Amino acid sequence: MTARLVLLVTSPRLPAGLLTAEAWDLVRAHPVLAAAETELAAIVRASGGSVTIASGTDALLAAAGPDGTAVWLAGPTGDEDFARELGLRLIREPGRAELELMYGSWDPPGARLLDAVTVMDRLMSPGGDPWKRQQTHATLAQFLLEECYEAYDAIEAGDLPALREELGDVLLQVVLHARIAEELPEDERWSVDDVAGDLVAKLIRRNPHVFAGAAVADVEEIIKNWERIKRAEKSRDSAMDGIALAQPALSLAAKIMQRAERAGVTVPPPAQPSTVDTEEALGAALLATVSAARTGGLDAEAALRRAALSYADSVRAAEAG
């Protein structure tokens, strides 16, 4: 027979001791070695196993003997250097032992989000990054917009690797804002767990066709249910309430008209100076309007914003009437 060496790897993001049944049977039945004391090593001992702190491959081979089994309890980083050293040694000494990799636990989907929270906490704690420690929700506001625009650009370009990176930058803003909020006075304080918890609750409430067995005929009915539930949650008096007014004027105008249409409110938009029937013609007309505005010393963005807000006021008046 040949000795059996098992490299037992576990997820550092799960509670220590949360192992598969196979892993528990292994560490209780055979000698276990580890490079350092860890919480998992202590739990294995408390559960009847034997853990020895050792270094180098000699100790593991000696623990297994000529035909037994020994377990190396990998640390939080996986002990890759040790595993490489052991693998090379067994190549040089064929027949000495068989090496087996066993996962006692593994990361669930989303586990790396815990790493993001941990790293941000380090950056925001004393001795961390001075720049981040100086920031507030207000000073970070411009960066949140910029990162969202950069993610949008990646989508428009069809650049999926860039989108992956830009979404990471958006996530950075979420994690940083949440960490800043942990420093607020106790009655105002919240954390990233509160953000995630609110999101989970919202998704469950607003998707009763998935979580509550509600019957829906099509996607349009799903959208109507979402809007109805949202109105009930927000207790809004107008379909215009809750629109992000800081967004660019064109998207603001589109959102206002969309909300009015969904609410069944009919307010004729301002008469167009000319008719456009293609996207190219529309783009050219908008560009010409901006050019004329610049020539006349006018701010096209501000003008459209004022017109959009005036239209929103008309919608409110129609709702009230």
Side-chain angles (χ1 to χ4, degrees), residues 37-59:
E37 291 287 357
T38 62
E39 185 179 358
L40 179 55
I43 291 175
V44 170
R45 288 196 192 98
S47 301
S50 172
V51 181
T52 302
I53 305 304
S55 61
T57 58
D58 287 339

Side-chain angles (χ1 to χ4, degrees), residues 162-192:
L163 176 60
R164 171 179 169 176
E165 178 183 355
E166 298 303 340
L167 288 177
D169 290 339
V170 174
L171 178 60
L172 164 63
Q173 294 298 311
V174 174
V175 176
L176 181 51
H177 275 282
R179 182 59 180 80
I180 288 172
E182 292 185 34
E183 306 293 335
L184 295 173
E186 186 173 356
D187 59 339
E188 302 176 7
R189 190 178 306 157
W190 43 270
S191 71
V192 70

Side-chain angles (χ1 to χ4, degrees), residues 274-308:
S274 61
T275 301
V276 291
D277 53 8
T278 66
E279 185 172 298
E280 181 179 358
L282 174 61
L286 291 172
L287 184 60
T289 300
V290 173
S291 177
R294 286 176 56 82
T295 301
L298 300 175
D299 186 337
E301 173 74 11
L304 178 56
R305 180 176 297 278
R306 283 192 293 270

Side-chain angles (χ1 to χ4, degrees), residues 6 15 19 37 42 46-47 60 63 71 74 89 95 113 115 120 124 151 161 165 189 214 221 229-230 266 309 320:
V6 181
L19 304 179
E37 291 287 357
S47 301
L60 184 62
V71 181
R89 178 167 180 177
L113 294 174
D115 290 343
M120 183 55 66
M124 288 291 291
E165 178 183 355
R189 190 178 306 157
E221 188 171 352
I229 296 169
K230 184 176 180 179
T266 303
L309 293 176

Side-chain angles (χ1 to χ4, degrees), residues 27-148:
V27 298
R28 285 177 174 142
H30 304 287
V32 179
L33 290 80
E37 291 287 357
T38 62
E39 185 179 358
L40 179 55
I43 291 175
V44 170
R45 288 196 192 98
S47 301
S50 172
V51 181
T52 302
I53 305 304
S55 61
T57 58
D58 287 339
L60 184 62
L61 287 165
D67 56 6
T69 297
V71 181
W72 183 266
L73 189 61
T77 61
D79 292 358
E80 292 182 4
D81 290 342
F82 175 84
R84 186 179 301 108
E85 177 187 350
L86 180 60
L88 291 174
R89 178 167 180 177
L90 294 182
I91 291 175
R92 293 192 302 268
E93 303 177 27
R96 179 72 181 274
E98 293 182 352
L99 180 60
E100 176 183 338
L101 175 64
M102 177 183 292
Y103 287 93
S105 62
W106 51 89
D107 290 344
R112 296 309 302 268
L113 294 174
L114 299 176
D115 290 343
V117 173
T118 299
V119 170
M120 183 55 66
D121 183 65
R122 175 70 180 86
L123 291 169
M124 288 291 291
S125 297
D129 179 20
W131 184 86
K132 289 182 178 59
R133 287 172 55 80
Q134 291 177 357
Q135 301 311 304
T136 66
H137 295 306
T139 61
L140 290 172
Q142 62 173 322
F143 301 111
L144 178 59
L145 287 176
E146 289 174 5
E147 301 300 355
C148 289

